[in-house]
């Protein structure tokens, strides 16, 4: 195989989209690890409140403490840990308690869970703790480390809690109130379906977790606490648009896209991993019209029926959605999924059939690699490819030149935005291929890009996320794929590890 290296250009790696993705990942990173707690709250709410399936006043008393205290404090602690490990998490939790107490104690502010406050106060508090520790780093006399560390964190935490109580709480409440009013205005004006014009394209750019868990979830939880349900939980999580798109490829697609679409449907609709359909959209960007139309129709259906979920559905599987559907909303929610799928299917089918002859003539018969070319054009430079990894003595290490010394590949990491959905799927596929090849002593794991530590021999990401992965793990070899479920590059990775270990057929 010929050696392939990464070419460079005047475009600085990353750019605005990478920065937006990084910020969105940070927001969603505070929520995603705590999704089980949100689901637990949703199930308790659905079962035991007055309008629940099995009303129980005693068990319903769990709802408010979890919503107002546990969930915001979990978010704050997670955000603090992301900035400054356990020490940052502790101080972040203390500071956030100041905001929570202020809003619960003032009748003007009471009734608003402080998720936004936790997302702001938590990371800031952890960052301040990190800066304070840097002042006397290496200057503490032996034997006084524990005393200084404990008291500095305690004193700073107390100060920040007081500042948050008097200073941040009114500001956060004003922002929360304004955002809630904006959403209510969209609902009252019948304009909420227009949100799909922004949400669906942003999803394809791997901002889905940031939108859902960083923006919509906090607002939706507040609505759910007030009314028992919220349509905002379904703006991003509705699997209908993706289902319709993949069905269109199943019936009217070409080549690899047509062949892989049925399997992708199972993963997307039942498994809840929406990222699986993104490459299909990227292969023909005009298909954004299909998912936008599907998303808008799904939102409109929920608005008409007044339906919603009681808590966050993550992943966006039909099973997870039905599990947290408000008891009187099943008809509207199910119809919103079916209508969204039908509209997306019709629009995508028209687009695919209209361009069928042109695609065949151009030699682009369902080759998903077209999505790679489109992404490269938008980046202004070529993505790294695995061809260099299997060449004689030349490897893409993610450096500026793309050349380096071939290294033993024993630790492979799949990385994606959240580190759960698509990366877990890709890791499972490659792990099975390596096992069938008789290769041992090679670990294949998955994690979020934000948690990359730089010790992986090989990092595999979707091509839209490779620049961010390189920044987090610059000394690793990097591989870009356009489809986590079925990439030909997996076979080339297997050949690499087989060659490393001297495994022969």
């Amino acid at each position: 195989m010929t050696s392939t290296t990464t070419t460079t250009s005047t475009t600085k790696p990353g750019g605005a989209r990478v920065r937006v993705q990084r910020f969105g990942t940070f927001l969603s990173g505070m929520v995603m690890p705590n999704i089980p707690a949100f689901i637990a709250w949703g199930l308790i709410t659905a079962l035991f409140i007055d309008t629940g399936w099995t009303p129980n006043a005693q068990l319903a008393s769990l709802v408010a403490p979890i919503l107002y205290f546990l969930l915001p404090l979990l978010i704050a602690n997670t955000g603090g840990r992301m900035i400054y490990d356990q020490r940052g998490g502790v101080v972040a939790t203390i500071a956030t308690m100041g905001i929570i107490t202020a809003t619960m104690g003032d009748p003007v502010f009471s009734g608003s869970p402080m998720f936004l406050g936790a997302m702001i106060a938590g990371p800031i508090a952890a960052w301040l703790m990190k800066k304070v520790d840097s002042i006397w780093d290496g200057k503490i006399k032996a034997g006084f480390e524990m005393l200084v560390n404990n008291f500095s964190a305690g004193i700073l935490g107390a100060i920040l809690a007081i500042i948050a109580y008097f200073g941040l709480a009114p500001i956060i409440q004003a922002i929360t109130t304004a955002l809630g009013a904006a959403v209510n205005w969209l609902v009252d004006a019948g304009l909420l379906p227009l949100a799909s014009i922004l949400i669906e394209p942003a999803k394809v750019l791997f901002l889905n977790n940031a939108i859902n868990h960083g923006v919509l979830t906090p607002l939706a939880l507040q609505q759910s606490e007030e009314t028992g349900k919220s349509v905002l939980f379904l703006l991003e999580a509705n699997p209908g648009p993706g289902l319709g798109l993949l069905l269109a490829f199943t019936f009217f697609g070409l080549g690899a896209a047509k062949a892989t679409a049925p399997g992708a449907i199972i993963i997307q609709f039942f498994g809840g991993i929406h990222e699986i359909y993104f490459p299909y959209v990227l292969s023909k960007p005009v298909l954004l019209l299909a998912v936008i139309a599907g998303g808008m129709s799904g939102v409109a259906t929920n608005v008409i029926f007044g339906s919603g979920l009681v808590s966050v559905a993550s992943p966006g599987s039909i099973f997870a959605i039905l599990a947290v559907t408000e008891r009187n909303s099943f008809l509207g929610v199910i119809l919103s999924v079916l209508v969204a799928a039908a509209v997306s299917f019709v629009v995508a089918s028209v687009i695919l059939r209209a361009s069928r002859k042109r695609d065949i003539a151009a030699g682009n018969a369902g080759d998903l690699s077209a999505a790679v070319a489109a992404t490269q054009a938008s980046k202004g430079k070529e993505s790294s490819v695995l061809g260099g990894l299997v060449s004689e003595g030349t490897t893409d290490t993610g450096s500026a030149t793309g050349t380096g010394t071939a290294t033993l590949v024993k630790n492979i990491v799949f990385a994606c935005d959240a580190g759960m959905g698509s990366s877990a799927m890709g890791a499972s596929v490659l792990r099975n291929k390596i096992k069938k090849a008789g290769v041992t002593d090679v670990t294949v794991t998955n994690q979020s890009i934000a948690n990359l530590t730089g010790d992986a021999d090989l990092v595999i990401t979707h091509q839209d996320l490779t620049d961010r992965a390189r920044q987090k793990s610059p000394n690793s070899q990097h591989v870009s794929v356009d489809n986590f479920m079925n990439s030909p590059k997996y076979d080339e990775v297997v050949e690499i590890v087989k060659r490393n270990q001297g495994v022969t057929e």
Side-chain angles (χ1 to χ4, degrees):
M1 182 177 295
T2 59
S3 172
T4 306
T5 60
T6 302
T7 62
T8 60
S9 71
T10 56
T11 303
K12 184 178 179 179
R17 185 175 65 178
V18 171
R19 288 192 292 271
V20 172
Q21 285 178 338
R22 188 184 298 115
F23 177 70
T25 298
F26 183 81
L27 291 179
S28 63
M30 285 187 274
V31 179
M32 286 292 289
N34 301 307
I35 288 298
F38 285 82
I39 294 176
W41 176 83
L43 293 175
I44 292 172
T45 301
L47 290 172
F48 303 123
I49 62 174
D50 291 341
T51 57
W53 289 97
T54 56
N56 185 301
Q58 289 179 310
L59 294 177
S61 64
L62 289 168
V63 172
I66 293 176
L67 180 65
Y68 288 103
F69 292 96
L70 178 62
L71 296 181
L73 292 177
L74 283 174
I75 290 173
N77 186 269
T78 303
R81 286 174 175 267
M82 292 168 67
I83 298 294
Y84 195 37
D85 298 326
Q86 182 176 355
R87 190 167 171 80
V90 171
V91 176
T93 304
I94 298 171
T96 301
M97 196 64 200
I99 296 180
I100 295 173
T101 307
T103 55
M104 293 298 293
D106 191 324
V108 178
F109 298 140
S110 61
S112 299
M114 283 295 103
F115 297 107
L116 182 60
M119 289 181 166
I120 295 175
I124 291 176
W127 179 81
L128 289 172
M129 186 73 259
K130 185 175 183 179
K131 291 301 180 182
V132 169
D133 281 350
S134 67
I135 296 174
W136 47 70
D137 185 30
K139 300 176 183 177
I140 304 174
K141 291 186 178 181
F144 289 86
E145 294 88 354
M146 184 178 293
L147 179 68
V148 173
N149 288 338
N150 285 343
F151 270 85
S152 62
I155 293 171
L156 179 63
I159 293 173
L160 293 177
I162 295 172
I163 293 175
Y165 187 99
F166 290 106
L168 275 180
I171 298 174
I172 298 300
Q173 181 60 30
I175 295 174
T176 302
T177 302
L179 291 174
V183 172
N184 290 332
W185 179 82
L186 288 174
V187 174
D188 294 338
L191 299 177
L192 192 60
L194 296 180
S196 297
I197 297 175
L198 297 177
I199 291 174
E200 295 300 333
K203 285 175 65 175
V204 176
L205 295 177
F206 283 87
L207 294 172
N208 52 317
N209 289 316
I211 291 171
N212 195 24
H213 303 305
V215 179
L216 297 177
T217 293
L219 295 175
L221 283 168
Q222 182 175 341
Q223 282 191 354
S224 180
E225 194 273 336
E226 295 172 353
T227 64
K229 60 186 174 183
S230 176
V231 66
L232 300 183
F233 287 122
L234 279 167
L235 294 191
E236 186 274 341
N238 190 334
L243 172 63
L245 177 83
L246 293 173
L247 282 172
F249 271 98
T250 299
F251 290 102
F252 304 111
L254 298 169
K258 179 182 177 68
T260 57
I265 289 174
I266 296 175
I267 294 171
Q268 187 265 345
F269 190 67
F270 298 108
I273 303 176
H274 290 203
E275 292 96 324
I276 191 68
Y277 76 79
F278 298 171
Y280 295 84
V281 178
L282 292 172
S283 69
K284 191 180 292 292
V286 70
L287 288 170
L288 278 172
L289 297 175
V291 291
I292 289 173
M296 293 178 64
S297 60
V299 175
T301 302
N302 280 311
V303 171
I304 292 171
F305 281 85
S307 52
L309 308 184
V310 298
S311 186
V312 60
S314 182
S317 161
I318 187 61
F319 298 127
I321 288 172
L322 294 178
V324 292
T325 297
E326 193 262 337
R327 63 175 300 180
N328 297 317
S329 296
F330 278 94
L331 176 61
V333 169
I334 293 174
L335 280 178
S336 74
V337 175
L338 295 178
V339 170
V343 172
S344 179
F345 171 76
V346 170
V347 177
S349 297
V350 170
I351 293 173
L352 290 175
R353 288 178 63 85
S355 61
R356 187 180 185 89
K357 292 182 179 180
R358 183 168 62 253
D359 289 340
I360 295 175
N364 184 27
D367 184 2
L368 290 179
S369 62
V372 179
T375 304
Q376 289 172 342
S378 66
K379 288 182 178 180
K381 68 182 187 66
E382 293 183 4
S383 298
S384 61
V385 293
L386 192 55
L389 290 176
V390 296
S391 61
E392 296 297 329
T394 303
T395 309
D396 180 2
T397 62
S399 62
T401 62
T403 60
T405 304
T407 59
L408 186 64
V409 176
K410 301 186 69 175
N411 179 16
I412 301 174
V413 174
F414 278 76
C416 69
D417 188 45
M420 299 180 183
S422 54
S423 60
M425 177 181 63
S428 178
V429 172
L430 181 59
R431 195 180 295 118
N432 290 334
K433 286 181 175 289
I434 290 177
K435 182 178 180 180
K436 290 180 181 179
V439 177
T440 59
D441 198 27
V442 173
T443 61
V444 182
T445 58
N446 56 282
Q447 62 186 103
S448 67
I449 291 177
N451 291 331
L452 289 175
T453 59
D455 58 357
D457 299 321
L458 177 64
V459 177
I460 302 177
T461 53
H462 188 279
Q463 75 264 4
D464 282 351
L465 306 176
T466 302
D467 282 342
R468 287 169 52 204
R470 280 204 182 97
Q471 294 172 12
K472 291 292 295 184
S473 189
N475 296 322
S476 302
Q477 301 174 74
H478 289 267
V479 173
S480 298
V481 299
D482 68 334
N483 187 344
F484 275 113
M485 185 180 71
N486 185 29
S487 174
K489 295 182 181 179
Y490 294 162
D491 293 329
E492 299 177 6
V493 171
V494 172
E495 290 301 318
I496 292 173
V497 295
K498 285 173 61 178
R499 185 181 306 172
N500 287 163
Q501 296 192 8
V503 177
T504 57
E505 296 294 340

